[in-house]
Amino acid sequence: MREFAYEALPGRVVFGVGSLDRLAEEVERLGVAKALVLCTPQQRGQAEDIAARLGARSAGVYDKAEMHVPIDVAKAARAEAQRLGADACVAVGGGSTIGLGKAIALEFGLPIIAVPTTYAGSEMTPIWGLTEDGVKKTGRDTKVLPTTVVYDPTLTLTLPDFISGPSGMNAIAHCVEAMYSETANPIISMMAEEGVRSLARALPIVVKQPDDIAARTDALYGAYLSGASLGAVGMALHHKLCHTLGGSFNLPHAETHTAVIPHATAYNIGAAPDAYERLCRALNTDDPAGALFDLAVSVGAKMSLAEVGMKEADLDRAADIATQNPYYNPRPVTREGIRALLDDAYHGRRPRVA
Ligand code: NAD
């Protein structure tokens, strides 16, 4: 076996149907006096239910979470947390809401109790993001890692198919890159492999029968493993590309990951033998890139960057930005290679392994 260094992240996970009933107890366990409940405007109802469950330990509901955490939104939320004397945040929602909790924790160091309702995985990572003047800055700080995560699959029953599919593919992308990470280790790779297996099995059922609680449970379990993988090891080409496409061309997060991951996999897989073996096992295939493409198609995802909102005229600039600064990738990143990858993703072609 190869040598490795692995530092496990702290954190308590409470998982299972009905685990929301244990939220108040979990908040009490942390000795929290007043938790501010965070959400998007669309999830205010869910957040109010949670605030009611917390009773006197709720500082109120703040419903202004937005994608990519604009700095003004972060500042307003910090001011509100301070005004209400909150000593913790309960973030109920997807990556955007959990990201807002992280922005508050980054400033005040208060604990986050995360209640995830998508498959993005942010709840398991010490990664924060803040967007200022159209540029998203990210960093790692264990201060923003949620202290407790309560995963209740019941809360994902309302997640529509057009969000469930791409959100699950976004989770799979974390697993794929964790397997060929510069800092990959066998413990995280094992979790990432199981994450892909669980999500790939569950997602087609989730989009066809959104109220299938067994499939919802498997998908959320896969999302937990994917977030833990993302939090523990560094990412590579795929995440760099998606960060560029989201940040510089304003493309939607999960949909962009979905359209790019089959192509990033095709680009890298020949240089990543351990990831290849694991993905073949998890997806029951000998062509992981093609299998990821077929999976995304089967969950009704948009498979071309054109449909996601990219302009063909921007492909050259995207390739330039994504190859400007060197970063780790199992296969060398060349301008020509990335331009060809982007062309395939733009047109939504089924990938061919290079
Ligand atoms: P999101 O949080 O923006 O949610 C998308 C939409 O779905 C929102 O309108 C939300 O209110 C709604 N929604 C969420 N759960 C729902 C449910 N159960 N029922 C009905 N509607 C629901 O989307 P996301 O993909 O979860 O998060 C994307 C953001 O998270 C991006 O900004 C991304 O960069 C960030 N992210 C960060 C990390 C990290 O480690 N820091 C990891 C993954 C993603």
Side-chain angles (χ1 to χ4, degrees):
M1 180 174 284
R2 59 183 277 187
E3 290 175 3
F4 64 90
Y6 167 49
E7 192 176 331
L9 290 168
R12 177 175 164 85
V13 170
V14 179
F15 188 99
V17 172
S19 56
L20 191 62
D21 292 343
R22 289 169 59 187
L23 177 70
E25 185 190 315
E26 290 297 324
V27 169
E28 195 180 329
R29 194 174 173 275
L30 296 175
V32 167
K34 272 193 177 310
L36 182 59
V37 182
L38 305 171
C39 62
T40 59
Q42 296 89 329
Q43 287 182 275
R44 185 156 183 116
Q46 266 174 340
E48 275 172 357
D49 170 53
I50 282 178
R53 286 167 183 264
L54 297 184
R57 288 184 200 271
S58 162
V61 171
Y62 191 72
D63 70 359
K64 307 271 188 296
E66 264 184 50
M67 183 80 88
H68 301 316
V69 199
I71 187 75
D72 292 342
V73 173
K75 283 182 179 162
R78 287 168 180 163
E80 188 66 358
Q82 215 166 20
R83 188 182 72 78
L84 293 167
D87 60 353
C89 291
V90 172
V92 54
S96 300
T97 303
I98 293 164
L100 184 60
K102 288 177 169 181
I104 299 172
L106 191 63
E107 180 90 357
F108 300 132
L110 45 68
I112 300 170
I113 299 97
V115 184
T117 64
T118 72
Y119 307 130
S122 176
E123 64 281 356
M124 294 306 297
T125 84
I127 305 166
W128 55 266
L130 282 169
T131 304
E132 189 164 13
D133 298 330
V135 179
K136 185 168 177 180
K137 268 198 232 155
T138 59
R140 279 183 183 255
D141 193 326
T142 44
K143 235 180 5 188
V144 309
L145 179 71
T147 310
T148 304
V149 182
V150 175
Y151 282 107
D152 189 338
T154 317
L155 292 173
T156 63
L157 292 173
T158 51
L159 196 62
D161 57 352
F162 64 90
I163 300 183
S164 295
S167 186
M169 292 305 298
N170 181 200
I172 286 180
H174 304 330
C175 297
V176 170
E177 291 234 298
M179 290 178 197
Y180 56 59
S181 165
E182 185 174 25
T183 47
N185 65 70
I187 293 95
I188 291 298
S189 292
M190 186 169 61
M191 291 170 77
E193 180 181 333
E194 183 59 12
V196 173
R197 186 175 292 117
S198 203
L199 282 155
R201 202 172 38 211
L203 289 177
I205 306 172
V206 157
V207 296
K208 284 191 195 75
Q209 291 151 249
D211 58 352
D212 185 321
I213 195 68
R216 287 289 191 183
T217 303
D218 285 349
L220 197 60
Y221 179 61
Y224 156 41
L225 298 174
S226 107
S229 304
L230 172 68
V233 297
M235 296 286 113
L237 172 67
H238 171 80
H239 281 74
K240 172 76 180 173
L241 267 179
C242 292
H243 185 86
T244 301
L245 295 171
S248 305
F249 304 97
N250 206 23
L251 300 190
H253 178 83
E255 286 84 351
T256 305
H257 273 264
T258 305
V260 173
I261 189 60
H263 302 285
T265 306
Y267 188 88
N268 280 331
I269 205 68
D274 182 62
Y276 175 74
E277 263 184 45
R278 289 181 183 280
L279 285 171
C280 286
R281 276 200 301 263
L283 295 165
N284 200 18
T285 182
D286 60 2
D287 171 17
L292 289 175
F293 185 89
D294 296 343
L295 175 64
V297 169
S298 80
V299 300
K302 297 171 184 161
M303 290 318 294
S304 76
L305 287 178
E307 286 173 280
V308 169
M310 183 89 190
K311 295 194 183 68
E312 196 163 11
D314 286 333
L315 292 178
D316 277 320
R317 197 156 61 90
D320 289 341
I321 300 172
T323 50
Q324 242 162 26
N325 303 311
Y327 52 90
Y328 170 80
N329 194 57
R331 176 177 163 195
V333 173
T334 62
R335 165 75 174 63
E336 193 193 0
I338 298 316
R339 182 61 180 81
L341 185 166
L342 284 172
D343 201 66
D344 284 343
Y346 177 81
H347 291 285
R349 299 183 187 111
R350 193 172 185 277
R352 291 151 293 126
V353 175

